[in-house]
């Protein structure tokens, strides 16, 4: 009787293992399937980390109790290796030298969430804004790429363009913005200490956030480098949506209705980002100069958005970072959605992620050097 129970248990666990393997491989298809047609597969990519873990656990389990069954996980992991390789950084123990080496370009990307407080006062939000400015100052970076950047021409509100340009010493900048009314502006900005010889902006099709793809051509020594920055379509979750997610997690009443709203926003977001990603890639392919890309893609590495924009570019986190590299502080600990990418004209020297709860995103810093022509 005990023998039959063991056989049944092993076969039952094997079926579960196979089920996880199939779902894992479907999630691994997300980067290669156009979300316009295959949005369900694109959304399945969000489950990638939560499918990877059971496969690893089953692999360890079978190695002890039935080695031949471990092949199920081994085959699935081998087929999904490309997705695994962009999910984690393996440079454990590497330190970040705060003093920038000669010949390197220090670049920062950060979704600053409008610096938390937009109106001049002395509340907690304004104190956080000052801490964020101090964090930017500490880096002594050559280039700042900031998304969800806020600036106002109204003296009762913060003039962040003027503050960073003068107080942090960034004389050159390009700012994409929409007029929000009352002389307030929100968008993506590139600040530079290198001379800016040209700049440009590409608007994404509506409906989307008041954002665009901006670029700045910077004179670095005798060469020109093109820096791109953008903020792609977000999920536009409101406080009520986060409350719905909490209710879903806690299996409370109304799960179906709550899930319907969340999935609708997920589907809309992934579709618009696919259009934007195609546009970004096409524009970068036309660049006559070496390319650096910094931005908030609002999408994970195992996605059509990331694979399309990155293509054969170097991901600074994967080159020099470690772990999962979470950059968004809400929803899930697996969300790496902010990136620094460099084409093959550059070498990545070092990378750092600042895990400080100022914005809802973490600041990323990388030191990059131009290769010889």
């Amino acid at each position: 009787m005990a023998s039959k129970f063991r056989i049944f248990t092993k076969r039952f666990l094997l079926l579960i293992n196979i089920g996880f393997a199939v779902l894992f491989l479907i999630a691994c298809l997300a980067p290669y399937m156009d979300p316009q047609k295959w949005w369900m597969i694109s959304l399945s990519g969000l489950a990638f980390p939560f499918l990877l873990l059971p496969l690893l656990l089953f692999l360890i389990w079978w190695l002890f109790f039935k080695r031949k069954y471990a092949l199920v996980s081994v085959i699935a992991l081998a087929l999904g290796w490309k997705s695994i390789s962009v999910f984690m950084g393996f440079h454990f123990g590497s330190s970040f030298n705060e003093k920038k080496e000669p010949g390197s370009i220090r670049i920062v990307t950060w979704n600053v969430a409008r610096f938390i407080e937009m109106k001049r006062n002395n509340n907690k939000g304004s104190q956080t804004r000052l801490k964020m400015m101090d964090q930017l100052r500490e880096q002594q970076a050559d280039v700042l790429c900031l998304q969800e950047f806020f600036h106002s021409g109204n003296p009762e509100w913060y003039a962040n363009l003027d503050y960073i340009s003068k107080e942090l010493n960034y004389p050159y900048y390009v700012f994409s913005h929409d007029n929000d009314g009352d002389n307030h502006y929100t968008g993506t900005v590139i600040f530079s200490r290198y001379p800016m010889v040209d700049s440009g902006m590409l608007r994404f099709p509506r409906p989307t956030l008041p954002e665009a793809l901006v670029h700045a051509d910077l004179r670095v020594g005798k060469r020109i480098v093109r820096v791109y920055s953008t903020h792609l379509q977000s999920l536009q979750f409101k406080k009520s949506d986060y409350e719905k997610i909490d209710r879903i997690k806690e299996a409370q009443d109304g799960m179906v209705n709550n899930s319907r709203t969340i999935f609708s926003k997920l589907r809309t977001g992934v579709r618009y980002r696919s259009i934007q990603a195609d546009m970004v890639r096409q524009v970068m392919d036309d660049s006559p100069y070496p390319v650096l890309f910094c931005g908030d893609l609002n999408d994970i590495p195992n996605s059509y958005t990331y694979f399309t924009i990155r293509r054969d570019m170097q991901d600074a986190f994967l080159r020099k970072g470690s772990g999962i590299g979470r950059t968004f502080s809400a929803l899930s600990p697996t969300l790496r959605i902010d990136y620094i990418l460099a084409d093959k004209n550059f070498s990545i020297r070092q990378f750092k992620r600042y895990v400080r709860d100022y914005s809802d995103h973490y600041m990323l810093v990388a030191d990059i050097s131009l290769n010889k022509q």
Side-chain angles (χ1 to χ4, degrees), residues 141-156:
D142 301 297
V143 182
L144 303 177
C145 296
L146 307 177
Q147 303 86 41
E148 288 194 37
F149 183 89
F150 172 81
H151 171 78
S152 179
N154 186 328
E156 295 182 0

Side-chain angles (χ1 to χ4, degrees), residues 236-247 265:
Q236 296 185 311
F237 279 172
K238 300 176 181 178
K239 183 179 179 181
S240 59
D241 294 311
Y242 286 105
E243 291 173 351
K244 289 176 182 177
I245 291 171
D246 289 337
R247 286 197 289 270
K265 291 192 173 185

Side-chain angles (χ1 to χ4, degrees), residues 15-127:
L15 285 174
I16 295 176
N17 191 176
I18 292 171
F20 274 114
V22 171
L23 293 174
F24 173 79
L25 292 175
I26 291 173
C28 290
L29 290 174
Y32 312 103
M33 309 298 285
D34 185 350
Q36 297 298 317
K37 298 178 181 178
W38 305 97
W39 63 270
M40 279 295 291
I41 291 180
S42 296
L43 293 185
S44 74
L46 293 171
F48 171 82
F50 307 103
L51 296 170
L52 174 62
L53 180 59
L55 283 183
L56 293 173
L57 293 176
F58 270 118
L59 174 60
I60 296 170
W61 173 269
W62 292 129
L63 287 175
F64 283 100
F65 295 100
K66 196 75 172 179
R67 288 192 175 184
K68 68 177 183 179
Y69 290 171
L71 284 174
V72 174
S73 289
V74 169
I75 293 171
L77 294 171
L79 291 174
W81 174 248
K82 195 164 185 180
S83 291
I84 297 171
S85 69
V86 299
F87 174 63
M88 288 194 68
F90 297 97
H91 297 273
F92 296 95
S94 58
S95 59
F96 187 88
N97 185 1
E98 301 294 341
K99 185 176 181 181
K100 184 168 69 75
E101 294 182 8
S104 65
I105 303 167
R106 178 161 293 178
I107 190 163
V108 164
T109 189
W110 196 8
N111 181 322
V112 294
R114 298 173 179 82
F115 288 106
I116 309 305
E117 180 57 73
M118 296 179 284
K119 194 168 185 178
R120 294 180 186 272
N121 53 54
N122 195 34
N123 66 9
K124 185 177 179 181
S126 289
Q127 293 169 19

Side-chain angles (χ1 to χ4, degrees), residues 216-236:
D217 293 340
L218 309 178
R219 186 172 296 282
V220 181
K222 296 181 179 180
R223 299 172 68 179
I224 296 176
V225 170
R226 178 164 289 183
V227 178
Y228 289 95
S229 187
T230 194
H231 177 283
L232 298 192
Q233 179 75 42
S234 77
L235 298 176
Q236 296 185 311

